[in-house]
Amino acid sequence: MKVLITGSSGFIGAAVTRAVVAKGDEVKVLVRPTSNRNNLDGLPVETVEGDLQDPSSLKKALAGCQGLYHVAAHYALWDQDPSTFYNVNVEGTKHLFQAAEEAGVERIVYTSTIGAIGLPGDGGLGSEEFFPSESQLSGDYKRSKFLAEQEVLKMAKQGLPVVIVNPTAPVGERDVKPTPTGKIIVDFMKGRMFAYIETGMNLIDVDDVAMGHVQAMKRGRIGERYILGNQNLMLREICQMLSQLTGVPAPRVRLPWKWIVPLAHVNTWIANYVTHKTPRIPLEGVRMAKYRMHYDCTKARNELDLPQTSVETALKKAVQWFRQFGYV
């Protein structure tokens, strides 16, 4: 099968690209002219320059393809121009899938986000049957990805052959930016985590996320959502794992969530109006930390045979990669 992969220069996208190449498919990758392509070094792929906001470039990229992995997104907790989230994540996805439909693409895997999965009010595990409440859609990234997923579900009902995957918090190698989760690891390794908020996360090895994509292309049911996750942990437990891997002491001071909110407001205001740089304490990240983001990943395990590499192994790979490439 000949497939197009968007977002291949990024963290999840690079892992997906490697997994698809290993599977033996013929791979084209869509990259922006300004993208850092280090994650693609040495891979036998055809590179096509384009942009999700340029429909003509998408038609060119999809020519001759039977499959599409749409991994690209504007993924951040803050942006000086919030409209970028909606232009890329919502409108860009609509442009791409309209082009895919016109090109006769036979199978599509769309990378959504765990933020589009709702958490039940009783504090239980989130699952594919839940959609987030308005209060759970904190920030423009989550809102834009939720709106994009709603558009994709609508297209699936109209016949678009698309399967949706919702990764939790991936960790591992080639987290070049790094992602917000990767930044937690880097900050910990640098000794910058003096305290913590007692929040919950679900972690998974990024290579397992990639295999979940490959399996979704092969076995996923059209119009269905699949949570690609592994282990539910509290941030305190993640810090203890990182301490064992790095020798850096885990923070002992637990800060109440409500104490951090005013600091995040001030920090975000300074970023918006003074520094124009990503805030050290992004408000949207703090708002997300209010929830225990724990999920039931049974559906993907059963239907996609999702791999479950230990989280300790995934964190070890991330730590080694960040050290090797000078992040610490």
Side-chain angles (χ1 to χ4, degrees), residues 276-296:
H276 307 297
K277 294 181 180 180
T278 302
R280 284 276 300 139
I281 310 173
L283 180 59
E284 307 314 335
V286 172
R287 284 174 172 165
M288 287 166 56
K290 179 180 180 181
Y291 300 96
R292 183 175 296 191
M293 294 171 285
H294 286 172
Y295 301 92
D296 180 356

Side-chain angles (χ1 to χ4, degrees), residues 27 56 98 111 290 293 299 317:
V27 177
S56 63
Q98 287 165 2
T111 310
K290 179 180 180 181
M293 294 171 285
K299 183 178 178 180
K317 289 195 289 185

Side-chain angles (χ1 to χ4, degrees), residues 225-241:
R225 306 196 293 171
Y226 295 91
I227 296 173
L228 305 184
N230 186 343
Q231 187 174 357
N232 292 314
L233 295 162
M234 301 305 291
L235 181 57
R236 169 180 46 82
E237 296 174 299
I238 296 169
C239 288
Q240 289 169 349
M241 289 182 182

Side-chain angles (χ1 to χ4, degrees), residues 301-312:
R301 291 179 189 134
N302 290 344
E303 295 191 24
L304 305 183
D305 196 21
L306 178 68
Q308 299 284 268
T309 302
S310 75
V311 167
E312 291 90 343

Side-chain angles (χ1 to χ4, degrees), residues 86 115 118-119 131-139 142-143 146-147 287 291:
Y86 302 92
L119 293 164
F131 289 92
S133 64
E134 181 63 30
S135 63
Q136 290 171 3
L137 289 173
S138 57
K142 269 193 176 183
R143 280 193 287 269
F146 172 75
L147 291 173
R287 284 174 172 165
Y291 300 96

